[in-house]
Amino acid sequence: MLVTLRDVPADAEIPSHQLLVRGGYIRRIGSGIYAYLPMMWRVLRKINAIVRDELNSLGALETLLPQLQPADLWEKSGRWQGYTEGEGIMFHLEDRQGRQIGLGPTHEEVITELAGDLLRSYRQLPVTLYQIQTKFRDEIRPRFGLMRGREFIMKDAYSFHASQDDLESTYQAMAAAYARIFQRCGLEAVAVDADSGAIGGAASQEYMVTAAAGEDLILTSSDGLYAANQEKASSLPAPAQPLDDGPERILETPNQISIEQLCAANDLEPSQTVKVLVLLARLDDGREQPILVSLRGDQDLNDVKLANAVSRSLDAAVLEIRPISENQLCQQDLPEFPFGSIGPDLSDSMLKGCRSWQGHFLRLADATALDLPRFVCGANTKDQHCWGRTWDAMPAQIRADLRTAQAGDQCVHDPSQTLSECRGIEVGHIFQLGRKYSEALDARFTNSSGQQEALLMGCYGIGISRLAQAAVEQHHDDAGISWPAGIAPFQVIVVIAKMQDSTQVTLGEGLYQSFLDAGIDALLDDRDERAGVKFKDADLIGIPWRIVVGRDAGEGKVEVVERSTRSSTSIPHQEALQKVKDSIFTRL
Ligand code: ATP
Ligand code: MG
């Protein structure tokens, strides 16, 4: 069943998505919902086999956990609300008894509940369990085919330990297994430091397949010692331009709402200013917290760092953080704020009498802002700024790293190095969870001194279906896909050029059979189509070797074409089998 398309599907923006649809690998059933057609399923099974092989060799045990997950488990971990309300991504439903159930987006809750039940003594530890399974996430922006689906295949593994040392050694072993998995899948993947949420300090790495279509931005140093997701990256900011000496004074700044406008009109550098963002955080405990964030004028806010800082400061999970709008102020019965002229000392009295918000601001300031001895900022009166202010008379600020690191910044580990950027597709993530879930779900074991202790945990994911498409993104050309041999649906395609020619048919079928007999995954194109059509299709579907049985069949010769290089040679048919065998053998 090979149904290829000549035209690029209208909804497919990136090459890998276009090629998988055109090559008859996947079909869209709904937004973010795809059918894996038979050849795709072969690719996915090859990837799964590699993953299983590597994880089994670490001693991990394969399991299969339920996709229907009772809400009360997620209530215990405190994640039900965050995952089901607002921008929450968990599909959820009510069963006939009126009980809430979620469709598994991930399995920390289920596995921790099980571990608490099953792993009672340090003698049973360590244990690593994994599964390969369909996950469900109601993504806000499903796109790029399998890259961001609402139903996708994931390998997720969870490890349980009695000590931090033991967790770290499994984490390292998993990192090494991941490197081998991606290499065997023919992928160039880099490990980068990743955000680990509000639990500061927990180690976490993402595996990125570098590709222009990647949704993540990676920052790396040229000495190879630093690589991080921009969400997490830190760097040295450029030095600030000092402000001239002089007494504090008010600047009239009509229509100077942005830092650019303010600087242009008053002959300032952005690094001489402090900008203040006014935001509202919704927390999982129901609080609605107004926030003032101060940044040096030339810096950009990093949303992930902000969410982590807010969560840490308020000891609650953040559901969402958004800029405060005039409309919201109206709904809270609050007066208009002096937007465009707000300073870090905007008074808490601005919030007096509000309906549901907390009555004070959480004041967070990035280090770059706090380190300015003197600066220009909003005067909290419309169309006015204040020149030459200091932090002395300001309300207390919580110091945090909130700025976005950027390409060109100097590196923290070595200021002579600068960061450069590239885009990446996250295909895997490893994470030392620590006791976050075991504490919440009361998963305890008896340690060697007879005491009860919460289990230490690690979790390790690979996006199997995303990885398959990422491989195409990394391995294709104008003519189509060029599967890495390790995960190709077939190793070889035998194309009989002219089905009316019985010599070609006999030789082709015989050769095809000899591949099968040798245990090589082979496909036979014996369709009654023009040779040109078959060659185009073979290029499109991207099988590593193509054997064409054509004009020279009478002399027992066939043409062998290597998909990756498109180089072709005409050789006796007996040698074709050996050539393909050799290529598989050298790979192993
Ligand atoms: P992302 O940041 O891309 O949304 P994530 O950090 O939420 O991913 P994890 O929870 O770490 O993802 O899931 C493990 C792996 O599953 C990811 O590394 C990624 O490869 C894959 N994955 C996550 N979401 C999707 C999706 N919607 N479609 C396909 N694969 C996905
Ligand atoms: Mg992740």
Side-chain angles (χ1 to χ4, degrees):
M1 189 182 102
L2 177 62
V3 184
T4 55
L5 302 177
R6 205 131 304 160
D7 298 325
V8 175
D11 66 328
E13 295 164 57
I14 60 172
S16 55
H17 183 190
Q18 294 167 357
L19 291 171
L20 286 177
V21 174
R22 284 186 50 214
Y25 284 91
I26 59 172
R27 278 288 184 279
R28 182 182 182 276
I29 301 297
S31 164
I33 306 172
Y34 286 84
Y36 311 119
L37 299 180
M39 285 214 297
M40 191 71 212
W41 187 233
R42 292 185 73 98
V43 172
L44 294 168
R45 286 201 329 256
K46 296 243 161 125
I47 299 171
N48 290 348
I50 293 172
V51 168
R52 286 196 170 99
D53 187 47
E54 292 295 341
L55 293 188
N56 292 348
S57 76
L58 296 185
L61 304 171
E62 185 166 358
T63 184
L64 189 59
L65 304 171
Q67 286 162 312
L68 291 177
Q69 306 191 4
D72 53 350
L73 274 182
W74 287 70
E75 305 264 348
K76 284 193 209 167
S77 70
R79 292 208 292 180
W80 178 258
Q81 208 191 353
Y83 267 77
T84 55
E85 287 176 18
E87 295 189 337
I89 53 158
M90 183 152 59
F91 287 103
H92 53 108
L93 49 100
E94 206 178 274
D95 70 10
R96 63 176 77 243
Q97 268 94 30
R99 287 178 300 228
Q100 290 287 314
I101 291 190
L103 278 184
T106 179
H107 279 74
E108 283 83 5
E109 281 77 0
V110 171
I111 198 92
T112 310
E113 176 87 349
L114 283 170
D117 184 16
L118 299 169
L119 304 174
R120 294 293 178 83
S121 157
Y122 73 98
R123 286 177 218 279
Q124 294 169 280
L125 300 172
V127 171
T128 302
L129 295 165
Y130 75 94
Q131 60 172 348
I132 297 175
Q133 184 197 54
T134 295
K135 296 278 191 266
F136 300 92
R137 294 186 183 180
D138 196 0
E139 297 278 359
I140 298 163
R141 269 179 296 282
R143 58 178 193 160
F144 298 161
L146 306 185
M147 290 290 188
R148 188 166 294 284
R150 297 198 300 159
E151 175 177 332
F152 60 96
I153 302 174
M154 195 202 284
K155 183 285 295 179
D156 46 330
Y158 306 87
S159 66
F160 299 91
H161 311 270
S163 73
Q164 178 65 26
D165 274 358
D166 195 52
L167 166 57
E168 278 167 28
S169 87
T170 294
Y171 182 82
Q172 295 307 339
M174 198 59 89
Y178 270 43
R180 290 192 298 271
I181 288 169
F182 298 129
Q183 197 236 331
R184 288 176 65 180
C185 290
L187 284 174
E188 218 171 282
V190 289
V192 305
D193 287 353
D195 170 56
S196 47
I199 352 170
S204 165
Q205 277 187 313
E206 284 166 350
Y207 289 82
M208 296 286 186
V209 167
T210 49
E215 290 191 79
D216 288 272
L217 197 78
I218 309 166
L219 295 172
T220 52
S221 64
S222 46
D223 63 6
L225 294 177
Y226 186 78
N229 191 321
Q230 191 183 37
E231 289 179 349
K232 150 99 182 185
S234 47
S235 64
L236 300 175
Q241 190 74 31
L243 204 59
D244 296 340
D245 284 336
E248 207 176 297
R249 63 174 195 270
I250 292 290
L251 298 176
E252 297 300 331
T253 52
N255 301 320
Q256 296 164 27
I257 306 288
S258 68
I259 293 290
E260 291 72 38
Q261 290 163 335
L262 176 72
C263 290
N266 300 282
D267 195 20
L268 293 166
E269 292 289 326
S271 70
Q272 298 175 312
T273 69
V274 167
K275 64 179 167 195
V276 178
L277 308 172
V278 197
L279 308 161
L280 184 76
R282 283 207 311 117
L283 303 166
D284 71 339
D285 57 11
R287 271 182 290 173
E288 297 174 297
Q289 176 66 57
I291 309 174
L292 293 177
V293 178
S294 298
L295 290 164
R296 201 171 81 187
D298 61 335
Q299 302 297 319
D300 289 325
L301 178 66
N302 178 320
D303 296 333
V304 175
K305 291 182 182 180
L306 174 68
N308 290 338
V310 169
S311 174
R312 267 197 314 272
S313 307
L314 300 173
D315 198 20
V318 170
L319 300 181
E320 124 189 313
I321 302 184
R322 293 238 173 118
I324 288 180
S325 65
E326 285 178 17
N327 208 358
Q328 281 175 306
L329 292 176
C330 224
Q331 286 163 4
Q332 291 288 319
D333 291 337
L334 290 175
E336 219 179 284
F337 285 6
F339 287 118
S341 295
I342 292 178
D345 52 348
L346 183 69
S347 168
D348 285 342
S349 65
M350 297 300 292
L351 297 171
K352 218 168 134 199
C354 64
R355 284 173 173 265
S356 57
W357 295 354
Q358 300 292 302
H360 61 277
F361 290 108
L362 175 71
R363 295 169 199 269
L364 295 167
D366 182 65
T368 51
L370 285 180
D371 290 346
L372 289 177
R374 297 164 67 253
F375 50 89
V376 177
C377 67
N380 297 321
T381 304
K382 213 166 155 34
D383 298 337
Q384 283 191 350
H385 280 73
C386 201
W387 189 97
R389 286 220 62 177
T390 67
W391 289 103
D392 296 342
M394 295 279 186
Q397 308 282 323
I398 297 173
R399 189 186 181 93
D401 172 18
L402 301 171
R403 63 181 281 274
T404 305
Q406 265 158 357
D409 286 354
Q410 291 179 311
C411 296
V412 176
H413 75 281
D414 177 357
S416 73
Q417 296 278 323
T418 52
L419 291 176
S420 39
E421 67 176 33
C422 64
R423 303 209 71 88
I425 302 163
E426 181 196 324
V427 289
H429 194 170
I430 59 174
F431 198 155
Q432 293 182 26
L433 287 172
R435 298 193 171 89
K436 181 177 153 132
Y437 293 93
S438 53
E439 295 274 12
L441 286 123
D442 203 24
R444 293 175 204 284
F445 71 103
T446 311
N447 67 19
S448 54
S449 19
Q451 252 108 45
Q452 289 284 299
E453 231 186 274
L455 289 158
L456 279 161
M457 287 175 63
C459 75
Y460 318 87
I462 291 182
I464 302 285
S465 44
R466 181 185 283 184
L467 184 159
Q469 189 175 324
V472 177
E473 199 59 38
Q474 238 176 23
H475 301 278
H476 70 269
D477 57 22
D478 292 344
I481 301 171
S482 172
W483 287 109
I487 61 173
F490 297 93
Q491 295 305 312
V492 56
I493 176 168
V494 177
V495 180
I496 299 173
K498 198 171 176 187
M499 286 306 290
Q500 290 79 11
D501 183 329
S502 62
T503 314
Q504 290 187 19
V505 173
T506 312
L507 183 61
E509 287 178 347
L511 198 53
Y512 169 65
Q513 191 56 48
S514 64
F515 279 113
L516 295 185
D517 292 344
I520 293 170
D521 291 331
L523 184 65
L524 178 67
D525 191 348
D526 56 359
R527 290 176 300 167
D528 199 6
E529 288 278 1
R530 279 183 300 116
V533 170
K534 298 190 197 180
F535 297 163
K536 269 213 160 77
D537 277 346
D539 277 344
L540 175 61
I541 64 177
I543 313 283
W545 294 99
R546 175 170 105 211
I547 315 284
V548 182
V549 184
R551 250 174 272 139
D552 298 339
E555 302 159 39
K557 279 182 140 185
V558 295
E559 193 194 359
V560 178
V561 186
E562 189 179 24
R563 178 65 185 87
S564 59
T565 58
R566 306 190 82 183
S567 62
S568 102
T569 46
S570 180
I571 54 173
H573 69 91
Q574 299 89 340
E575 288 173 30
L577 175 63
Q578 197 54 43
K579 197 173 166 95
V580 173
K581 260 190 180 166
D582 286 349
S583 83
I584 296 172
F585 187 69
T586 14
R587 208 179 64 238
L588 301 174

